[in-house]
Structure formats: structure tokens, C-alpha cells
Amino acid sequence: MLLLKDLVRKVKDLPPLPDIVVKLLQASRDPDASVREMVELIKHDPALTTKVLRLCNSSYYGLPRKINSIQEALVYIGTDTLVNFILAGCLAAFYQQSQDGYGLESGDLWRHSVGCAIAAQLLSPADDDALKSEAFTAGLLHDVGKIILSSFVGDKMQEIMDIVKDEDIPFEKAERRILGFSHTEAGAQMAKMWNLPEPLIEAISLHQTPQAAVNHKRLVAQVHVANILCISFGIGIGTDGLAYSFDPSAMEELELNSDDLYAISVKVHDQFSRAEDMIGLIAPTGHADAKAA
Amino acid sequence: MTPVNEFKAEPVILVGMAELSVTNHPNSCLTTSLLGAGIVVAVHDPESHVGGLLHFMLPRWSIDKESALDNPALFADSGIPALYKRCYKMGAEKERMKCYLIGGANVMDRTGGFNLGADNLNAATDILSKNGVSVEKTWSGGIEGRVIKFHTDAGRVDVQIRGQQEVE
């Protein structure tokens, strides 16, 4: 059984979240932060600048002219999208390894996270750019706890799945009973240690139990439904499969019925297919370069 | 000179979500990305060696008519007719064709508010039965992700549960 100190030690063993991510997240939530400040943060990182320009000039955006500077990129794709992209680029490094404990092959968790980010964003009100951006980020991060728990799951996966089936309870409850922590709790602990904003911590922590959300009910509901959609479509799922509970209170919060959800699923599929290009671009280890060549 | 014991690899065709593929290669393998609540419809004509796989996402084309026109493979009621038509064009005949259904897993939902896997399975069986097609075998329901390999030489379906070694 895991103790909190084991978890903390494991998080400390991970590479730290790059400073630029935390600074950009803070700047993007600050209405007084200027585009110039954002550009200043990014332009001192040549590798990041190259990736951002490559993304802007990719078929994903299909812009009519070539973008040559971060300043131009911000004008064309907007600050929120740029922050999302940079965050995704930094997080990709954490997600590329296989999470063998969960039966996830290399890249599976990343595909699941990108799918969830796209779906969570699409579930936002059309006129709420801030929530769209926050939902995308929360979607990317919602299962981050699997990265550290994977090595502890090890050969206990079968035991966890036996409990799921015998007692008909959701995966995270059986996971907590066997390991001492669920991946949602582990993820929330990571997010706290990385000093991520409070709405993201709540979304990571409660995305399986959205009725427990207090301060960010809408965001948590979006991530819950997005996660259920991606699991249902088999996007980056592992041995845990579809062993998660759907909470209808999230649909009430979002004022959706199942037909609305089916219609949104088509859009998720369309955007996820187009994002394959983006997924390749932000891969950290040679993938993007190989693709560009 | 023809080498003795020449080995020809079985061509593998990956059929992603909302895609369909049909082949008349007598020795190919049609395989899918991981299946959750979506359904795979696998059909095979042993005489013409035509085999096809549809991996649809959602039950009804009325959910998004414009998208259904662009890509019938998104939905059961537009994808299944498209699959059969493609097979007929390659020489398959309905009377000889065998049909298998795989998928339709469900997340845990005690309220019945979101039963995509069951909706998909009902839609597929409904349209097949209305068109006089009987299903040879169904692997459906449950909470597990599945991977399919469909071998067109004998029309054999291998279903593997994610995280398990055995093939059903």
C-alpha cells in the first residue's frame, strides 16, 4: 500500500515542469498580461519557437500565408491556443513512455489526453474563450497521475480488475483500495507540487466524480464527459478499458442530452483526426523532425 | 526459377474508427484500432474471397447528416449499406456472405443516460435484420477494449481483449 510520502518522492523524481509552462499559465489567466510579455517568455527558447512556428505553418491551421515570428503566431492563432500548444509540447515528454502497469503502450496515454483535451474544449460555450482554453489544459492533464502510479500498479492490475468485476465498482475505487491512491488523487498531488492553478487541480482530482466539484463544476463536468467519450471510443485506453462510471449530473451541468453528446462526438472525431498532425509536431524525441524531413 | 516454399506475408490493412475497408485478396488480414463502444461489422464471402470490415462510431446518420454524406462509415445505418455495396461491387453475393459483430462495450452507467455501446449494437442488429442478414456470431458488451483481426482466407475473426493474451 502506498503512502503519501512515497507518492511525493516519486513526483520529485520526475523532471520538473518547465518554468515557462507555469509562467505562461499564470500570464494567460492574468487579464493585465500583454501579448508582448508572452512573446518575451517564448522567444528566449529557440527550440520552442521553432516548434510553435512549425505548428502555425502546419496543415492543422491551414493559414493562407507563412508565419515567421512568435508575434505573428499570436495574432493568427491567439494567445490561448498558443499557450495550450506550448503546454502540450512540454507535457508530451512526460507522456511518451509506455505506462505498462495500466496496459498502455507508448503514446496511448498521450493520444487519450489529446483526445480528452479536444473534447473538453468542444464542450465549452462557444463564446467563452477562457473556459475553452482551461478545459483543453485540464483535458491534457486529467490522467497525469497514471504516469507515477503505473510503476506501482505492476502485477496488481489483475487484482484491481477482479475487484471491479466482482463488486461492480469503478476502476478508481478498486485502484485506491489496492494501491492506497487512485490515479486522480496522485494526479492532483502532482498538480499541487507543480503549482498548477486551482481549477486544474480540481478538474484532475474530481473528473471521475464531478458531483463532488465545488468551485469549478462546469470545468470538471466538461472533463468528465470528455473523458467518458474518449474511453467509449477506445482512444488510448488500457487494461482498465471502460471500467469508469458515467455521472449524469455532469450532463445536467452542461445542459446536454445523449443525442447532443453523439453530435459532439462527430466533431471530436473530426478534430482529433486533424490533430494527428499536431500530435506528431509536438512529440519530443525526433518524431517531429522525422516527420518534417 | 520459382523458389520452393515461397512465403507470402499476409497483407495487413488497418481499419480505423469511422472507416471501412473491403478487399478481395484471398489472404489478407483486416485489423482495427482499439474498440470500445464502437462496433465492427465483419463480412466475408468464401467463394469470391471478398472480405470487409466497417468500424462505425455512432448509431444513426440523423445525428449529423452532413457528416454522414461525407463519411457513411461514421454511423451504423449509413455504414452497413455502404459496406455491403462495396462488397457486391467486388463480386460478393449476399446469400453467401457471413456477418460478425464485435464491440459495443459500455462504461458503467446505472442510470441508463449514456449507453452508446448498447445503442450501437441495437442499431446494427436492427438494420441487419431488416435486410434479412443473420449474424453468425457476436462478441459484445462488457467493459473491456477489444482488438480485432479478421483473416479473409477463411473468414476467421480473432478477438483479443486489451490486457489479456488469449484470443477468442
Side-chain angles (χ1 to χ4, degrees):
Chain A
M1 186 81 75
L2 268 175
L3 300 172
L4 182 61
K5 65 181 172 63
D6 302 320
L7 211 56
V8 168
R9 193 182 312 124
K10 191 79 181 170
V11 177
K12 282 181 178 167
D13 285 346
L14 285 175
L17 199 62
D19 274 352
I20 191 167
V21 173
V22 179
K23 283 180 185 165
L24 278 173
L25 277 173
Q26 285 164 351
S28 69
R29 294 169 59 79
D30 177 1
D32 297 328
S34 65
V35 169
R36 180 183 292 274
E37 285 173 86
M38 308 281 274
V39 172
E40 285 301 313
L41 281 170
I42 299 162
K43 77 177 190 188
H44 295 297
D45 187 331
L48 191 56
T49 300
T50 305
K51 278 191 172 186
V52 168
L53 294 180
R54 203 182 278 174
L55 170 84
C56 293
N57 291 309
S58 74
S59 57
Y60 184 68
Y61 287 106
L63 297 178
R65 55 182 286 268
K66 192 173 180 192
I67 304 300
N68 296 305
S69 71
I70 292 295
Q71 181 84 41
E72 277 183 281
L74 276 165
V75 171
Y76 271 96
I77 67 173
T79 312
D80 290 336
T81 304
L82 190 64
V83 170
N84 282 339
F85 172 69
I86 291 166
L87 181 68
C90 294
L91 286 171
F94 290 93
Y95 283 96
Q96 285 303 309
Q97 299 293 319
S98 60
Q99 277 75 42
D100 296 331
Y102 289 96
L104 292 164
E105 293 169 7
S106 173
D108 280 347
L109 187 56
W110 181 231
R111 285 170 54 77
H112 175 72
S113 303
V114 171
C116 188
I118 289 168
Q121 187 174 40
L122 280 167
L123 288 163
S124 307
D127 58 352
D128 193 339
D129 287 343
L131 184 57
K132 280 183 194 170
S133 178
E134 199 160 57
F136 186 93
T137 309
L140 276 184
L141 286 163
H142 76 289
D143 268 353
V144 72
K146 285 187 174 174
I147 293 170
I148 48 170
L149 277 199
S150 179
S151 60
F152 294 108
V153 174
D155 57 3
K156 296 187 181 72
M157 192 61 173
Q158 190 56 52
E159 200 179 340
I160 295 171
M161 287 308 288
D162 286 345
I163 292 175
V164 166
K165 287 174 187 168
D166 293 345
E167 299 184 25
D168 192 26
I169 59 172
F171 180 82
E172 74 276 6
K173 283 190 178 172
E175 185 184 34
R176 187 183 301 116
R177 193 185 303 171
I178 297 298
L179 300 179
F181 284 92
S182 68
H183 66 275
T184 54
E185 291 164 330
Q189 184 62 38
M190 285 174 84
K192 281 178 198 164
M193 291 175 70
W194 281 349
N195 294 317
L196 293 182
E198 194 263 336
L200 295 180
I201 297 172
E202 187 165 309
I204 294 166
S205 173
L206 301 176
H207 73 266
Q208 305 287 3
T209 48
Q211 76 281 10
V214 179
N215 298 316
H216 307 282
K217 277 184 154 329
R218 167 110 208 172
L219 175 68
V220 175
Q222 286 179 215
V223 177
H224 172 74
V225 173
N227 185 42
I228 290 290
L229 279 185
C230 290
I231 288 169
S232 293
F233 291 119
I235 299 174
I237 59 174
T239 309
D240 47 354
L242 286 79
Y244 293 95
S245 271
F246 171 74
D247 184 343
S249 75
M251 297 281 274
E252 285 164 27
E253 177 67 32
L254 304 180
E255 296 176 350
L256 294 174
N257 60 36
S258 61
D259 277 352
D260 298 329
L261 208 49
Y262 290 173
I264 288 169
S265 301
V266 178
K267 293 186 175 68
V268 172
H269 174 259
D270 179 51
Q271 285 209 11
F272 185 70
S273 303
R274 287 191 290 126
E276 295 280 358
D277 191 25
M278 181 178 82
I279 291 171
L281 275 168
I282 54 187
T285 53
H287 186 163
D289 296 330
K291 203 171 170 128
Chain B
M1 193 174 80
T2 308
V4 179
N5 295 331
E6 184 184 22
F7 173 74
K8 286 187 180 169
E10 185 184 50
V12 176
I13 301 163
L14 178 66
V15 185
M17 188 163 58
E19 289 180 4
L20 74 81
S21 183
V22 175
T23 177
N24 59 1
H25 191 290
N27 185 32
S28 58
C29 174
L30 297 164
T31 185
T32 62
S33 51
L34 199 62
L35 258 179
I39 300 255
V40 160
V41 184
V43 292
H44 182 245
D45 176 358
E47 270 191 40
S48 63
H49 300 293
V50 172
L53 214 67
L54 162 71
H55 180 178
F56 74 82
M57 280 176 69
L58 293 159
R60 297 175 299 280
W61 77 292
S62 56
I63 291 164
D64 186 336
K65 292 174 184 169
E66 202 175 315
S67 296
L69 289 172
D70 273 354
N71 178 15
L74 279 162
F75 307 101
D77 56 357
S78 51
I80 292 173
L83 173 70
Y84 273 80
K85 280 178 191 163
R86 287 269 297 272
C87 289
Y88 298 155
K89 271 190 184 169
M90 294 185 96
E93 289 191 13
K94 187 176 176 183
E95 294 68 34
R96 296 193 303 247
M97 289 169 73
K98 310 273 187 204
C99 177
Y100 306 89
L101 295 180
I102 310 103
N106 287 293
V107 291
M108 297 168 154
D109 175 18
R110 287 172 181 80
T111 62
F114 184 70
N115 285 323
L116 177 59
D119 281 356
N120 276 337
L121 188 63
N122 288 338
T125 50
D126 190 42
I127 190 165
L128 289 166
S129 111
K130 278 181 182 160
N131 285 279
V133 174
S134 57
V135 177
E136 295 291 316
K137 188 168 179 183
T138 302
W139 295 261
S140 68
I143 52 168
E144 292 97 354
R146 296 176 170 94
V147 176
I148 318 303
K149 283 183 181 167
F150 183 47
H151 305 274
T152 60
D153 54 350
R156 191 181 85 246
V157 184
D158 293 338
V159 180
Q160 186 169 28
I161 301 283
R162 189 75 192 254
Q164 294 179 13
Q165 294 300 317
E166 312 91 76
V167 174
E168 295 177 4

